[in-house]
Amino acid sequence: MRVIIVILILLAAGFLGYRAYDNAVQTGALGKEREAGVPSGPATPAPVVLARQASIKDASPEGVNKQILFGDLHVHTTYSTDAFLWALPINQGKGVHPVADACDFARYCSAIDFWSITDHAEALTPIRWERTKEAIRQCQARSDSEENPDLISLLGFEWTQVGAIPDEHFGHKNVIFQGLADKDVAARPIAAVGAALDALRNNVN
């Protein structure tokens, strides 16, 4: 009888503890969800874009009509657990950066032609995915030319799977969507079950 009473007490304590934790999360008592940010400035001026394209064309071998584009299809932000932790000042980082910062870096610092956000699927909660989509759409909307945009922004996520032996280990795969509309992208990122999911979703982020 005493064992049953102890078990019931432990179950009740666990239930109450979970309810208290869930309530703290819902009310923001444990902190607020990080924003994705808003891109800070306008599109790169058209003359700059055209000059950049002309210099690439001039460097191409004579008779080659293919267009050379430069981009980055593996970009993490504060929504990825690893990028978040390593960006903290305590780890000698320069501070966390939201999705909008990645957009600004691609446009103004890297001066690349295209890029894709690929935060870890394991850490992308529904609200983070919605905020990521909105930030990427805002980034793309800054381009003032549909025919010759200064920057092409793409939506994506990184799928990570870890196995104990080579035959069961598939590593990292970037999933990138061609469009930006809800009908063109996944309803939410798909994460692989296993060590990566446990590490990236259960740790404090």
Side-chain angles (χ1 to χ4, degrees):
M1 187 65 178
R2 290 181 180 176
V3 173
I4 295 176
I5 293 175
V6 170
I7 291 175
L8 290 175
I9 292 174
L10 290 175
L11 288 174
F15 175 75
L16 292 174
Y18 171 77
R19 290 298 300 271
Y21 172 77
D22 184 60
N23 183 64
V25 171
Q26 298 299 327
T27 60
L30 297 180
K32 295 182 179 179
E33 176 59 79
R34 293 184 295 279
E35 298 286 342
V38 177
S40 66
T44 304
V48 175
V49 176
L50 293 174
R52 191 166 65 200
Q53 294 171 344
S55 65
I56 293 174
K57 185 176 181 180
D58 291 342
S60 301
E62 187 175 349
V64 175
N65 295 321
K66 294 181 179 180
Q67 185 178 14
I68 300 173
L69 299 173
F70 296 88
D72 189 349
L73 296 178
H74 192 166
V75 177
H76 289 338
T77 72
T78 182
Y79 284 162
S80 286
T81 305
D82 51 356
F84 170 74
L85 292 175
W86 287 114
L88 293 175
I90 195 172
N91 289 321
Q92 286 73 55
K94 296 183 178 180
V96 296
H97 296 285
V99 179
D101 282 9
C103 165
D104 291 340
F105 190 88
R107 173 170 277 129
Y108 304 123
C109 301
S110 298
I112 50 182
D113 300 297
F114 63 91
W115 76 290
S116 178
I117 194 70
T118 54
D119 278 313
H120 285 287
E122 295 80 6
L124 283 174
T125 60
I127 189 172
R128 288 181 179 180
W129 184 235
E130 289 302 316
R131 290 179 176 179
T132 295
K133 290 190 293 184
E134 180 59 26
I136 295 298
R137 289 165 182 161
Q138 290 176 357
C139 185
Q140 185 61 37
R142 298 285 171 146
S143 296
D144 52 12
S145 172
E146 291 187 6
E147 294 184 358
N148 191 28
D150 69 316
L151 178 67
I152 295 175
S153 302
L154 302 168
L155 266 167
F157 59 84
E158 182 178 342
W159 179 90
T160 303
Q161 190 275 337
V162 178
I165 59 176
D167 289 345
E168 298 176 356
H169 179 82
F170 299 100
H172 309 265
K173 311 291 181 185
N174 285 329
V175 179
I176 299 169
F177 302 98
Q178 187 172 355
L180 296 180
D182 280 334
K183 66 180 180 62
D184 299 321
V185 302
R188 65 172 299 175
I190 301 168
V193 176
L197 180 67
D198 294 339
L200 293 176
R201 185 168 292 179
N202 294 335
N203 285 328
V204 176
N205 185 11

PDB file of all heavy atoms in Angstrom, residues 17-45:
ATOM      1  N   GLY A  17       4.438  19.512 -11.790  1.00  0.00           N
ATOM      2  CA  GLY A  17       5.666  20.135 -12.274  1.00  0.00           C
ATOM      3  C   GLY A  17       5.598  20.426 -13.756  1.00  0.00           C
ATOM      4  O   GLY A  17       6.004  21.501 -14.219  1.00  0.00           O
ATOM      5  N   TYR A  18       5.075  19.473 -14.514  1.00  0.00           N
ATOM      6  CA  TYR A  18       4.933  19.679 -15.960  1.00  0.00           C
ATOM      7  C   TYR A  18       3.977  20.827 -16.252  1.00  0.00           C
ATOM      8  O   TYR A  18       4.244  21.664 -17.119  1.00  0.00           O
ATOM      9  CB  TYR A  18       4.429  18.405 -16.631  1.00  0.00           C
ATOM     10  CG  TYR A  18       4.058  18.618 -18.081  1.00  0.00           C
ATOM     11  CD1 TYR A  18       5.048  18.718 -19.061  1.00  0.00           C
ATOM     12  CD2 TYR A  18       2.726  18.780 -18.462  1.00  0.00           C
ATOM     13  CE1 TYR A  18       4.725  18.950 -20.387  1.00  0.00           C
ATOM     14  CE2 TYR A  18       2.399  19.016 -19.785  1.00  0.00           C
ATOM     15  CZ  TYR A  18       3.395  19.099 -20.742  1.00  0.00           C
ATOM     16  OH  TYR A  18       3.062  19.341 -22.048  1.00  0.00           O
ATOM     17  N   ARG A  19       2.841  20.885 -15.524  1.00  0.00           N
ATOM     18  CA  ARG A  19       1.871  21.951 -15.738  1.00  0.00           C
ATOM     19  C   ARG A  19       2.485  23.316 -15.424  1.00  0.00           C
ATOM     20  O   ARG A  19       2.248  24.295 -16.130  1.00  0.00           O
ATOM     21  CB  ARG A  19       0.630  21.728 -14.865  1.00  0.00           C
ATOM     22  CG  ARG A  19      -0.249  20.559 -15.284  1.00  0.00           C
ATOM     23  CD  ARG A  19      -0.821  20.776 -16.697  1.00  0.00           C
ATOM     24  NE  ARG A  19      -1.633  21.963 -16.769  1.00  0.00           N
ATOM     25  CZ  ARG A  19      -2.936  22.009 -16.521  1.00  0.00           C
ATOM     26  NH1 ARG A  19      -3.572  20.901 -16.154  1.00  0.00           N
ATOM     27  NH2 ARG A  19      -3.604  23.135 -16.630  1.00  0.00           N
ATOM     28  N   ALA A  20       3.291  23.365 -14.364  1.00  0.00           N
ATOM     29  CA  ALA A  20       3.943  24.627 -14.000  1.00  0.00           C
ATOM     30  C   ALA A  20       4.939  25.052 -15.075  1.00  0.00           C
ATOM     31  O   ALA A  20       5.010  26.229 -15.451  1.00  0.00           O
ATOM     32  CB  ALA A  20       4.648  24.475 -12.652  1.00  0.00           C
ATOM     33  N   TYR A  21       5.710  24.081 -15.600  1.00  0.00           N
ATOM     34  CA  TYR A  21       6.675  24.381 -16.668  1.00  0.00           C
ATOM     35  C   TYR A  21       5.956  24.840 -17.920  1.00  0.00           C
ATOM     36  O   TYR A  21       6.333  25.834 -18.547  1.00  0.00           O
ATOM     37  CB  TYR A  21       7.520  23.138 -16.960  1.00  0.00           C
ATOM     38  CG  TYR A  21       8.404  23.284 -18.171  1.00  0.00           C
ATOM     39  CD1 TYR A  21       9.584  24.022 -18.105  1.00  0.00           C
ATOM     40  CD2 TYR A  21       8.048  22.703 -19.384  1.00  0.00           C
ATOM     41  CE1 TYR A  21      10.394  24.166 -19.218  1.00  0.00           C
ATOM     42  CE2 TYR A  21       8.844  22.844 -20.503  1.00  0.00           C
ATOM     43  CZ  TYR A  21      10.022  23.581 -20.414  1.00  0.00           C
ATOM     44  OH  TYR A  21      10.812  23.725 -21.527  1.00  0.00           O
ATOM     45  N   ASP A  22       4.889  24.110 -18.308  1.00  0.00           N
ATOM     46  CA  ASP A  22       4.136  24.460 -19.507  1.00  0.00           C
ATOM     47  C   ASP A  22       3.530  25.847 -19.373  1.00  0.00           C
ATOM     48  O   ASP A  22       3.553  26.639 -20.318  1.00  0.00           O
ATOM     49  CB  ASP A  22       3.039  23.423 -19.745  1.00  0.00           C
ATOM     50  CG  ASP A  22       2.291  23.679 -21.045  1.00  0.00           C
ATOM     51  OD1 ASP A  22       2.950  23.664 -22.102  1.00  0.00           O
ATOM     52  OD2 ASP A  22       1.060  23.898 -21.003  1.00  0.00           O
ATOM     53  N   ASN A  23       3.016  26.170 -18.204  1.00  0.00           N
ATOM     54  CA  ASN A  23       2.438  27.488 -17.971  1.00  0.00           C
ATOM     55  C   ASN A  23       3.503  28.581 -18.076  1.00  0.00           C
ATOM     56  O   ASN A  23       3.259  29.654 -18.628  1.00  0.00           O
ATOM     57  CB  ASN A  23       1.778  27.534 -16.586  1.00  0.00           C
ATOM     58  CG  ASN A  23       1.107  28.872 -16.320  1.00  0.00           C
ATOM     59  OD1 ASN A  23       0.157  29.242 -16.992  1.00  0.00           O
ATOM     60  ND2 ASN A  23       1.618  29.589 -15.340  1.00  0.00           N
ATOM     61  N   ALA A  24       4.695  28.295 -17.554  1.00  0.00           N
ATOM     62  CA  ALA A  24       5.792  29.264 -17.633  1.00  0.00           C
ATOM     63  C   ALA A  24       6.200  29.527 -19.069  1.00  0.00           C
ATOM     64  O   ALA A  24       6.486  30.659 -19.458  1.00  0.00           O
ATOM     65  CB  ALA A  24       6.986  28.765 -16.821  1.00  0.00           C
ATOM     66  N   VAL A  25       6.205  28.465 -19.884  1.00  0.00           N
ATOM     67  CA  VAL A  25       6.538  28.617 -21.304  1.00  0.00           C
ATOM     68  C   VAL A  25       5.475  29.446 -22.010  1.00  0.00           C
ATOM     69  O   VAL A  25       5.783  30.370 -22.773  1.00  0.00           O
ATOM     70  CB  VAL A  25       6.676  27.234 -21.971  1.00  0.00           C
ATOM     71  CG1 VAL A  25       6.793  27.396 -23.487  1.00  0.00           C
ATOM     72  CG2 VAL A  25       7.889  26.498 -21.423  1.00  0.00           C
ATOM     73  N   GLN A  26       4.209  29.121 -21.762  1.00  0.00           N
ATOM     74  CA  GLN A  26       3.102  29.791 -22.441  1.00  0.00           C
ATOM     75  C   GLN A  26       3.007  31.268 -22.071  1.00  0.00           C
ATOM     76  O   GLN A  26       2.634  32.101 -22.903  1.00  0.00           O
ATOM     77  CB  GLN A  26       1.775  29.085 -22.123  1.00  0.00           C
ATOM     78  CG  GLN A  26       1.697  27.641 -22.599  1.00  0.00           C
ATOM     79  CD  GLN A  26       1.849  27.510 -24.104  1.00  0.00           C
ATOM     80  OE1 GLN A  26       1.428  28.382 -24.846  1.00  0.00           O
ATOM     81  NE2 GLN A  26       2.475  26.437 -24.541  1.00  0.00           N
ATOM     82  N   THR A  27       3.326  31.603 -20.845  1.00  0.00           N
ATOM     83  CA  THR A  27       3.211  32.991 -20.391  1.00  0.00           C
ATOM     84  C   THR A  27       4.471  33.809 -20.627  1.00  0.00           C
ATOM     85  O   THR A  27       4.482  35.018 -20.395  1.00  0.00           O
ATOM     86  CB  THR A  27       2.863  33.034 -18.886  1.00  0.00           C
ATOM     87  OG1 THR A  27       3.905  32.372 -18.145  1.00  0.00           O
ATOM     88  CG2 THR A  27       1.530  32.363 -18.611  1.00  0.00           C
ATOM     89  N   GLY A  28       5.543  33.152 -21.091  1.00  0.00           N
ATOM     90  CA  GLY A  28       6.786  33.868 -21.337  1.00  0.00           C
ATOM     91  C   GLY A  28       7.638  34.077 -20.101  1.00  0.00           C
ATOM     92  O   GLY A  28       8.600  34.844 -20.128  1.00  0.00           O
ATOM     93  N   ALA A  29       7.299  33.381 -19.010  1.00  0.00           N
ATOM     94  CA  ALA A  29       8.068  33.541 -17.773  1.00  0.00           C
ATOM     95  C   ALA A  29       9.503  33.053 -17.914  1.00  0.00           C
ATOM     96  O   ALA A  29      10.394  33.483 -17.177  1.00  0.00           O
ATOM     97  CB  ALA A  29       7.373  32.791 -16.634  1.00  0.00           C
ATOM     98  N   LEU A  30       9.753  32.139 -18.858  1.00  0.00           N
ATOM     99  CA  LEU A  30      11.104  31.619 -19.066  1.00  0.00           C
ATOM    100  C   LEU A  30      11.838  32.380 -20.175  1.00  0.00           C
ATOM    101  O   LEU A  30      12.897  31.976 -20.623  1.00  0.00           O
ATOM    102  CB  LEU A  30      11.031  30.124 -19.426  1.00  0.00           C
ATOM    103  CG  LEU A  30      10.453  29.216 -18.350  1.00  0.00           C
ATOM    104  CD1 LEU A  30      10.431  27.774 -18.833  1.00  0.00           C
ATOM    105  CD2 LEU A  30      11.255  29.327 -17.063  1.00  0.00           C
ATOM    106  N   GLY A  31      11.254  33.485 -20.613  1.00  0.00           N
ATOM    107  CA  GLY A  31      11.864  34.268 -21.676  1.00  0.00           C
ATOM    108  C   GLY A  31      11.006  34.261 -22.927  1.00  0.00           C
ATOM    109  O   GLY A  31      10.134  33.409 -23.096  1.00  0.00           O
ATOM    110  N   LYS A  32      11.255  35.207 -23.801  1.00  0.00           N
ATOM    111  CA  LYS A  32      10.472  35.324 -25.020  1.00  0.00           C
ATOM    112  C   LYS A  32      11.192  34.653 -26.188  1.00  0.00           C
ATOM    113  O   LYS A  32      12.420  34.617 -26.229  1.00  0.00           O
ATOM    114  CB  LYS A  32      10.230  36.793 -25.355  1.00  0.00           C
ATOM    115  CG  LYS A  32       9.360  37.513 -24.328  1.00  0.00           C
ATOM    116  CD  LYS A  32       9.117  38.948 -24.737  1.00  0.00           C
ATOM    117  CE  LYS A  32       8.234  39.661 -23.733  1.00  0.00           C
ATOM    118  NZ  LYS A  32       8.007  41.081 -24.110  1.00  0.00           N
ATOM    119  N   GLU A  33      10.419  34.145 -27.130  1.00  0.00           N
ATOM    120  CA  GLU A  33      10.985  33.549 -28.339  1.00  0.00           C
ATOM    121  C   GLU A  33      11.714  34.623 -29.136  1.00  0.00           C
ATOM    122  O   GLU A  33      11.241  35.765 -29.253  1.00  0.00           O
ATOM    123  CB  GLU A  33       9.866  32.933 -29.181  1.00  0.00           C
ATOM    124  CG  GLU A  33      10.328  32.373 -30.520  1.00  0.00           C
ATOM    125  CD  GLU A  33      11.370  31.288 -30.366  1.00  0.00           C
ATOM    126  OE1 GLU A  33      11.000  30.149 -30.065  1.00  0.00           O
ATOM    127  OE2 GLU A  33      12.570  31.603 -30.532  1.00  0.00           O
ATOM    128  N   ARG A  34      12.869  34.302 -29.647  1.00  0.00           N
ATOM    129  CA  ARG A  34      13.642  35.273 -30.409  1.00  0.00           C
ATOM    130  C   ARG A  34      12.964  35.597 -31.735  1.00  0.00           C
ATOM    131  O   ARG A  34      12.416  34.726 -32.404  1.00  0.00           O
ATOM    132  CB  ARG A  34      15.056  34.732 -30.654  1.00  0.00           C
ATOM    133  CG  ARG A  34      15.865  34.615 -29.381  1.00  0.00           C
ATOM    134  CD  ARG A  34      17.294  34.167 -29.649  1.00  0.00           C
ATOM    135  NE  ARG A  34      17.365  32.823 -30.186  1.00  0.00           N
ATOM    136  CZ  ARG A  34      17.299  31.724 -29.431  1.00  0.00           C
ATOM    137  NH1 ARG A  34      17.139  31.831 -28.125  1.00  0.00           N
ATOM    138  NH2 ARG A  34      17.386  30.529 -29.961  1.00  0.00           N
ATOM    139  N   GLU A  35      13.020  36.858 -32.116  1.00  0.00           N
ATOM    140  CA  GLU A  35      12.440  37.300 -33.379  1.00  0.00           C
ATOM    141  C   GLU A  35      13.367  36.950 -34.543  1.00  0.00           C
ATOM    142  O   GLU A  35      14.556  36.692 -34.355  1.00  0.00           O
ATOM    143  CB  GLU A  35      12.216  38.817 -33.349  1.00  0.00           C
ATOM    144  CG  GLU A  35      11.251  39.292 -32.276  1.00  0.00           C
ATOM    145  CD  GLU A  35       9.810  38.971 -32.611  1.00  0.00           C
ATOM    146  OE1 GLU A  35       9.510  38.693 -33.786  1.00  0.00           O
ATOM    147  OE2 GLU A  35       8.971  39.002 -31.688  1.00  0.00           O
ATOM    148  N   ALA A  36      12.812  36.955 -35.751  1.00  0.00           N
ATOM    149  CA  ALA A  36      13.612  36.707 -36.953  1.00  0.00           C
ATOM    150  C   ALA A  36      14.188  38.000 -37.509  1.00  0.00           C
ATOM    151  O   ALA A  36      15.056  37.980 -38.377  1.00  0.00           O
ATOM    152  CB  ALA A  36      12.768  36.015 -38.021  1.00  0.00           C
ATOM    153  N   GLY A  37      13.712  39.134 -37.019  1.00  0.00           N
ATOM    154  CA  GLY A  37      14.230  40.416 -37.459  1.00  0.00           C
ATOM    155  C   GLY A  37      13.626  40.892 -38.765  1.00  0.00           C
ATOM    156  O   GLY A  37      12.825  40.203 -39.404  1.00  0.00           O
ATOM    157  N   VAL A  38      14.029  42.092 -39.162  1.00  0.00           N
ATOM    158  CA  VAL A  38      13.564  42.708 -40.414  1.00  0.00           C
ATOM    159  C   VAL A  38      14.788  43.198 -41.173  1.00  0.00           C
ATOM    160  O   VAL A  38      15.657  43.858 -40.582  1.00  0.00           O
ATOM    161  CB  VAL A  38      12.617  43.896 -40.128  1.00  0.00           C
ATOM    162  CG1 VAL A  38      12.199  44.569 -41.425  1.00  0.00           C
ATOM    163  CG2 VAL A  38      11.397  43.433 -39.334  1.00  0.00           C
ATOM    164  N   PRO A  39      14.913  42.886 -42.471  1.00  0.00           N
ATOM    165  CA  PRO A  39      16.047  43.383 -43.254  1.00  0.00           C
ATOM    166  C   PRO A  39      16.188  44.894 -43.099  1.00  0.00           C
ATOM    167  O   PRO A  39      15.188  45.620 -43.062  1.00  0.00           O
ATOM    168  CB  PRO A  39      15.680  42.988 -44.689  1.00  0.00           C
ATOM    169  CG  PRO A  39      14.817  41.769 -44.516  1.00  0.00           C
ATOM    170  CD  PRO A  39      14.010  42.041 -43.281  1.00  0.00           C
ATOM    171  N   SER A  40      17.419  45.381 -43.025  1.00  0.00           N
ATOM    172  CA  SER A  40      17.639  46.765 -42.600  1.00  0.00           C
ATOM    173  C   SER A  40      17.627  47.804 -43.706  1.00  0.00           C
ATOM    174  O   SER A  40      17.436  48.983 -43.425  1.00  0.00           O
ATOM    175  CB  SER A  40      18.973  46.859 -41.856  1.00  0.00           C
ATOM    176  OG  SER A  40      20.055  46.588 -42.737  1.00  0.00           O
ATOM    177  N   GLY A  41      17.855  47.420 -44.935  1.00  0.00           N
ATOM    178  CA  GLY A  41      17.992  48.444 -45.959  1.00  0.00           C
ATOM    179  C   GLY A  41      17.406  48.071 -47.301  1.00  0.00           C
ATOM    180  O   GLY A  41      16.812  47.003 -47.469  1.00  0.00           O
ATOM    181  N   PRO A  42      17.587  48.942 -48.282  1.00  0.00           N
ATOM    182  CA  PRO A  42      17.034  48.721 -49.623  1.00  0.00           C
ATOM    183  C   PRO A  42      17.880  47.761 -50.448  1.00  0.00           C
ATOM    184  O   PRO A  42      18.925  47.288 -49.998  1.00  0.00           O
ATOM    185  CB  PRO A  42      17.057  50.118 -50.235  1.00  0.00           C
ATOM    186  CG  PRO A  42      18.280  50.749 -49.606  1.00  0.00           C
ATOM    187  CD  PRO A  42      18.285  50.236 -48.191  1.00  0.00           C
ATOM    188  N   ALA A  43      17.418  47.515 -51.648  1.00  0.00           N
ATOM    189  CA  ALA A  43      18.162  46.660 -52.579  1.00  0.00           C
ATOM    190  C   ALA A  43      19.467  47.332 -52.982  1.00  0.00           C
ATOM    191  O   ALA A  43      19.614  48.555 -52.901  1.00  0.00           O
ATOM    192  CB  ALA A  43      17.317  46.387 -53.812  1.00  0.00           C
ATOM    193  N   THR A  44      20.416  46.523 -53.384  1.00  0.00           N
ATOM    194  CA  THR A  44      21.655  47.060 -53.942  1.00  0.00           C
ATOM    195  C   THR A  44      21.303  47.837 -55.212  1.00  0.00           C
ATOM    196  O   THR A  44      20.541  47.344 -56.052  1.00  0.00           O
ATOM    197  CB  THR A  44      22.633  45.924 -54.297  1.00  0.00           C
ATOM    198  OG1 THR A  44      22.854  45.131 -53.123  1.00  0.00           O
ATOM    199  CG2 THR A  44      23.954  46.471 -54.801  1.00  0.00           C
ATOM    200  N   PRO A  45      21.793  49.057 -55.382  1.00  0.00           N
ATOM    201  CA  PRO A  45      21.434  49.862 -56.558  1.00  0.00           C
ATOM    202  C   PRO A  45      21.684  49.123 -57.869  1.00  0.00           C
ATOM    203  O   PRO A  45      22.680  48.406 -58.010  1.00  0.00           O
ATOM    204  CB  PRO A  45      22.337  51.082 -56.427  1.00  0.00           C
ATOM    205  CG  PRO A  45      22.616  51.185 -54.957  1.00  0.00           C
ATOM    206  CD  PRO A  45      22.689  49.767 -54.466  1.00  0.00           C
TER     207      PRO A  45
END
